[in-house]
């Protein structure tokens, strides 16, 4: 197995599977419609040696548990309507990402850490917007940097008023970097703090507390210690009352994925990833269901995590996450599908027919988030469409997510792609539009045209319609695909990452694209600069006895 | 409204419009705080023979008069400036000291000043019921002297906040009056300042050990690159010395009385039967207050301490006695806890500044204990009082995660739970102490049975002087 990429390196490749029974850093408790996520980070249980997670500061391991908890609440606890995010430590909510961990990490580890934590927070907002699951941040003590960003991802923020606890984004004044999980963007875009006030807020390490924090909209309310618990409980119930989630379970248990992970391949039930390390590429193959999926909500509930759309996309999600952090050298991912397109389209129909059912809704949003992870991965994706593949409907989104697609045009073999209503906007990208809309940004009428095409597209038709990039014939096929992969692998990975991110997200900006775009453009730039990480940089000298020294030249 | 006459000062208050305006709001709030949270029951009808600082010279700060507590003239004094003073340590070593707060260090300095400032009114609040249990008028006067001076120390910190920190400083000054010791909603910043001090043994221990932490902190701040902070704290130290005198001699007088009672009874176990305070109880209180005060010095390894030192904001006690003032390469050996075991490790000295200050503090405490033991010796007892090991009963820093006995030997959680009252005051001990203190002594020249009279009175007055008089 390739070494994971971190100077604070984890010994074994990182797994993203967790279970509440073995959480180290969070306590998840339930009380009717309210779940409480209590942060209690174990200092000595960081993912890597070399730093202590003091004051409820976090590393990727803490955030993986958080992401797991939120996903489980969505699927396993439909009766939960509000999640209270708080801390179990007195006078400390969360001190943000651990600075010593950041300092000891490689650039790409930091990028992946920020990416994942951003996805987790956007996932909270997704649950609020689409699943009727509200988040209430109960800040019972100091709340700095990433701690405040976690709060910002919640629907509402209640801050304890003890004349001491403040919210802050001390990254700029203290560390010469930026908040890495959308803090600045959310302050002005989501909470609509006036930009000049936000400017002041972003430069004072100790933050803002009390009445002023409310006046400036940094928090929704401040409550004295003696009434804090009661106020949080009351507000949590009020938020819960606005939810359209069911009033009782059962939910669906998310069992372990039981992937087989070896040096050469990841093998899941519907997904496999085979590595070609010499070519710095991997092939991810997604298999269509073998039999028609369950047709009714009752049957889907009974099938639980074995319901193919859920099972399949959980596996894709896990594979993408593993590839990101454990397989840095694998720059190109060839996407393939296998099986009976009709069964995929059948599954799509079930999803669409029951989209109003809480569980089906969760499955659809899970698929959406997984596809977003693909869009946001710093890997080149090529879809390779061959006879026997099942690029239909939801699985065709993988081809649409790819940077390029190659479809074999062989008169002797049947090779088709299909669209379904799942391609019509129910699985939007981060920029809020569908992958078809993004694809046909210059010819918007084409979206309706291809969607109206009820029949499968043969290769030539697909090429004509603009649904695939190239359709080589059987004589050129092997070379074309091989050259594409090899050519890709030879280019600078940095330039490719930048190019792909530029091209994937055409069209409108959303808070989500701003967060990722600015993280990439600014934070990742600043993270590389001597003023932060040079020998005299602020991040380097933080916590040592040296003072930071800056190059005061502006760009 | 704000007059230099009512507010003795050496900061040209009459010319300082900004300060006058700030104080116009703050001073009435302060007086209200003093009435609400200061000594309870001794505000309106009692006149106390106290010292008021009216200038910084020797004659000026030992000015004695009878005053009603709320009418005390809290003043603002800075020690005289040192001409051409330069920064004595850290990265700016040798450069001229600052007369203004540099923007870059504004927040750090504000935090230092607010944290220091918060302890001053906190202790007044903690001690506000003690007058009703006083062992003599002499002691009551000392208590109130300490209290008014802690009030003045608050003024000193508020002066800095008002003068150098703009609107934020005014807000912080207000918050210093809004937080209250033990208040659930707005507690004092440091945990140790949120427990009431309800026995006089605790009071003496507090002034001996916790005020001495105040002295450590003030000494290190008196080296500060911010000259007004250095000068303010330097003057505060003169008052702090008296607070420690009260504690040191208070314990000493209890020890002396205990010796007398032991002599009478022959066995120390009988001291309680005679209404005195037995040596084990005294030792337990030393254990408690010493360990609490060690905590106040902060984490053994501290990035804040390093950056305070680097920036010249807070130095070591008596920095002049050290030979090397930049402290870039130097390391410092200290005990750390790793996997439940204690081991010695060298850390960059800048990060160990809290521990360096703690070393100074431990030495300073030891001299008091040595004096008390002289008395035990004089009376012919072989018992000795002592400071517990540094690892004992710690709530902050490396040793917070382990338990030890007063010799520093590790204990299991179970053993600690079972045995801690062998070394720390138990509820029964407290009950006993309250029982012998529930009758206050208000008669001039009289002393409670558990404490010996002082060697001499205040300001050359006789011991039977009427230190507190009532005006009905
Ligand atoms: Fe003081
Ligand atoms: Fe004092």
């Amino acid at each position: 197995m390739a070494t994971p990429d971190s100077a604070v390196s984890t010994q074994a490749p990182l797994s993203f599977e967790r279970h509440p029974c073995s959480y180290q850093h969070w306590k998840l408790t339930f009380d009717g419609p309210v779940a409480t996520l209590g942060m209690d980070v174990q200092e000595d249980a960081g993912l890597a040696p070399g730093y202590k997670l003091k004051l409820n500061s976090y590393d990727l391991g803490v955030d993986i548990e958080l992401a797991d908890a939120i996903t489980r609440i969505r699927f396993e606890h439909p009766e939960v309507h509000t999640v209270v995010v708080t801390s179990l430590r007195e006078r400390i909510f969360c001190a943000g990402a651990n600075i010593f961990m950041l300092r000891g990490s490689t650039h790409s580890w930091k990028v992946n850490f920020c990416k994942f934590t951003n996805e987790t927070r956007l996932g909270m907002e997704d649950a609020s917007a689409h699943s009727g699951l509200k988040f209430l941040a109960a800040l019972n003590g100091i709340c700095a940097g990433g701690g405040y960003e976690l709060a910002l991802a919640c629907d509402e923020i209640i801050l304890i008023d003890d004349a001491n606890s403040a919210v802050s984004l001390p990254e700029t004044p203290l560390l010469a970097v930026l908040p890495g999980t959308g803090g600045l963007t959310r302050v002005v875009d989501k909470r609509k703090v006036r930009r000049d006030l936000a400017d002041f807020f972003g430069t004072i390490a100790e933050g803002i507390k009390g009445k002023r924090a409310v006046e400036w909209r940094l928090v929704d309310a401040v409550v004295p210690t003696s009434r804090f618990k009661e106020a949080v409980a009351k507000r949590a119930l009020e938020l819960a009352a606005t939810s359209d989630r069911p009033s009782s379970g059962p939910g669906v248990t998310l069992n372990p994925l039981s992937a087989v992970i070896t040096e050469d391949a990841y093998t899941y039930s519907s997904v496999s990833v085979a590595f070609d390390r010499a070519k710095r590429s991997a092939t991810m193959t997604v298999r269509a269901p073998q039999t028609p999926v369950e047709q009714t909500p009752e049957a889907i509930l009974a099938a639980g995590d074995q319901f193919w759309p859920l099972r399949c996309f959980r596996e894709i999600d896990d594979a993408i996450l593993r590839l990101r952090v454990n397989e840095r050298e694998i720059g190109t991912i060839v996407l393939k599908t296998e099986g009976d397109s009709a069964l995929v389209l059948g599954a799509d129909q079930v999803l669409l027919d029951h989209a109003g059912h809480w569980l089906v809704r969760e499955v659809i949003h899970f698929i959406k988030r997984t596809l977003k992870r693909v869009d946001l991965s710093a890997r080149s994706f090529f879809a390779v469409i061959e006879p026997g593949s099942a690029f239909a409907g939801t699985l065709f989104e993988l081809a649409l997510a790819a940077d390029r697609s190659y479809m074999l045009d062989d008169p002797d073999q049947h090779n088709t792609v299909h669209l379904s209503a799942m391609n019509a906007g129910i699985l939007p990208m981060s920029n809020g539009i569908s992958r078809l809309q993004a694809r046909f940004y210059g010819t918007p009428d084409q979206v309706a045209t291809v969607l109206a095409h009820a029949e499968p597209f043969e290769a030539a038709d697909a090429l004509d319609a603009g649904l695939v990039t190239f359709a080589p014939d059987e004589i050129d096929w092997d070379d074309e695909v091989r050259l594409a992969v090899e050519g890709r692998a030879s280019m600078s990975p940095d330039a490719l990452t930048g190019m792909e991110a530029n091209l994937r997200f055409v069209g409108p900006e959303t808070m989500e694209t701003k967060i990722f775009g600015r993280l990439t453009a600014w934070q990742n730039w600043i993270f590389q600069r001597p003023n932060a990480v040079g020998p005299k940089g602020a991040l380097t000298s933080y916590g040592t006895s040296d003072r930071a020294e800056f190059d005061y030249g502006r760009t | 409204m704000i007059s230099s006459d009512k507010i003795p000062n050496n900061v040209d208050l009459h010319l300082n419009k900004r300060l006058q305006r700030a104080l116009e709001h703050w001073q009435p709030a302060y007086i209200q705080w003093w009435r609400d949270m200061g000594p309870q029951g001794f505000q309106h009808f009692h006149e106390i023979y106290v010292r008021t600082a009216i200038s910084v010279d020797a004659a000026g700060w030992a000015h004695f008069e009878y005053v009603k507590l709320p009418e005390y003239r809290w003043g603002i004094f800075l020690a005289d400036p040192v001409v051409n003073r330069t920064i004595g340590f850290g990265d700016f070593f040798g450069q001229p000291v600052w007369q203004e707060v540099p923007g870059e260090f504004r927040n750090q300095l504000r935090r230092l000043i607010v944290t220091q400032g918060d302890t001053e009114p906190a202790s007044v609040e903690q001690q506000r019921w003690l007058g009703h249990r006083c062992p003599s008028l002499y002691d009551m006067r000392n208590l109130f002297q300490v209290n008014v001076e802690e009030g003045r120390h608050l003024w000193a910190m508020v002066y800095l906040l008002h003068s150098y920190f703009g609107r934020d400083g005014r807000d912080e000054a207000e918050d210093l009056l809004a937080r209250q010791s033990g208040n659930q909603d707005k507690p004092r910043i440091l945990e140790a300042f949120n427990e009431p001090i309800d026995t006089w043994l605790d009071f003496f221990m507090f002034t001996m050990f916790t005020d001495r932490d105040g002295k450590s902190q003030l000494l290190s701040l008196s080296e500060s690159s911010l000259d007004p902070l250095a000068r303010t704290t330097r003057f505060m130290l003169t008052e702090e010395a008296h607070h420690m005198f009260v504690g040191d001699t208070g314990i000493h007088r209890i020890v002396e009385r205990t010796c007398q009672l032991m002599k009478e009874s022959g066995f120390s176990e009988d001291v309680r039967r005679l209404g005195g305070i037995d040596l084990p109880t005294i030792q337990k209180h030393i254990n408690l207050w010493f360990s609490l005060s060690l905590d106040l010095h902060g984490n053994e390894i501290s990035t804040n301490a390093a950056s305070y030192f680097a920036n010249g904001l807070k130095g070591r006690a008596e920095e002049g006695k050290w030979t090397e003032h930049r402290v870039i390469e130097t390391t410092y050996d200290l005990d750390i806890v790793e996997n439940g075991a204690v081991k010695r490790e060298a850390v960059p000295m800048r990060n160990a500044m809290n521990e360096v200050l703690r070393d100074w503090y431990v030495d300073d405490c030891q001299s008091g204990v040595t004096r008390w033991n002289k008395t035990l010796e004089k009376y012919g007892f072989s018992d000795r009082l002592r400071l517990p090991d540094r690892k004992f009963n710690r709530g902050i820093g490396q040793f917070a995660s382990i338990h030890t006995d007063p010799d520093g030997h590790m204990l299991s959680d179970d053993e600690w739970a079972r045995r801690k009252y062998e070394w720390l005051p138990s509820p029964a001990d407290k009950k006993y102490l309250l029982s012998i203190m529930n009758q206050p002594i208000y008669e001039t020249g009289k002393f409670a049975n558990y404490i010996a009279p002082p060697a001499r009175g205040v300001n050359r007055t006789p011991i039977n002087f009427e230190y507190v008089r009532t005006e009905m």
Side-chain angles (χ1 to χ4, degrees), chain B residues 59 61 145 156 200 205-206 233 242 277 440 470:
Chain B
W61 81 274
Q145 181 74 58
W200 276 77
M205 292 289 171
F206 181 93
T233 45
H242 173 258
I277 304 175
T470 18

Side-chain angles (χ1 to χ4, degrees), chain A residues 475-535:
Chain A
I475 297 166
D476 292 337
W477 174 254
D478 287 343
D479 267 352
E480 288 281 337
V481 172
R482 181 181 59 78
L483 287 173
V485 172
E486 287 178 9
R488 196 69 164 195
S490 69
M491 281 180 245
S492 155
D494 301 338
L496 285 176
T497 297
M499 184 191 82
E500 289 155 3
N502 268 284
L503 303 181
R504 286 176 190 172
F505 300 98
V506 299
E509 284 270 26
T510 58
M511 195 177 73
E512 206 168 320
T513 58
K514 283 183 189 176
I515 285 171
F516 284 113
R518 289 168 189 180
L519 174 74
T520 316
W522 294 114
Q523 172 74 318
N524 292 352
W525 173 65
I526 293 164
F527 254 147
Q528 297 275 44
R529 299 275 295 159
N531 282 341
V533 293

Side-chain angles (χ1 to χ4, degrees), chain A residues 52 54 91 100 161-164 200 203-207 209 212 224-227 542-547, chain B residues 91-92 104-105 107 110 167-168 172 175 179 184-189 191 194 303 306 310-311 348 350-351:
Chain A
K52 275 180 186 281
K54 292 194 172 165
R91 290 188 178 213
F100 300 95
D161 188 11
D162 58 3
N164 192 42
F200 179 78
T203 56
I204 49 163
E206 78 279 19
K209 63 190 174 197
R212 208 184 207 186
T225 313
S226 57
R227 287 191 284 116
Y542 180 81
T544 71
S545 35
D546 300 324
R547 291 163 36 76
Chain B
D91 291 346
F92 302 107
E104 192 183 347
F105 305 129
N107 292 328
R110 194 176 86 184
R167 189 207 133 132
D168 289 348
E172 292 287 8
D175 282 348
R179 285 187 290 269
Q184 194 194 352
D185 287 339
K186 298 199 187 275
R188 290 294 172 188
I189 296 170
E191 217 28 72
N194 284 307
T303 55
N311 299 335
R350 283 187 175 189
N351 292 72

Side-chain angles (χ1 to χ4, degrees), chain B residues 116 119-120 149-150 153 211 218 236 240 243:
Chain B
Q116 175 66 36
T119 64
E120 314 288 359
E149 284 174 353
E150 298 303 4
H153 291 175
D211 267 304
L218 292 175
M236 288 161 76
E240 211 61 70
H243 307 174

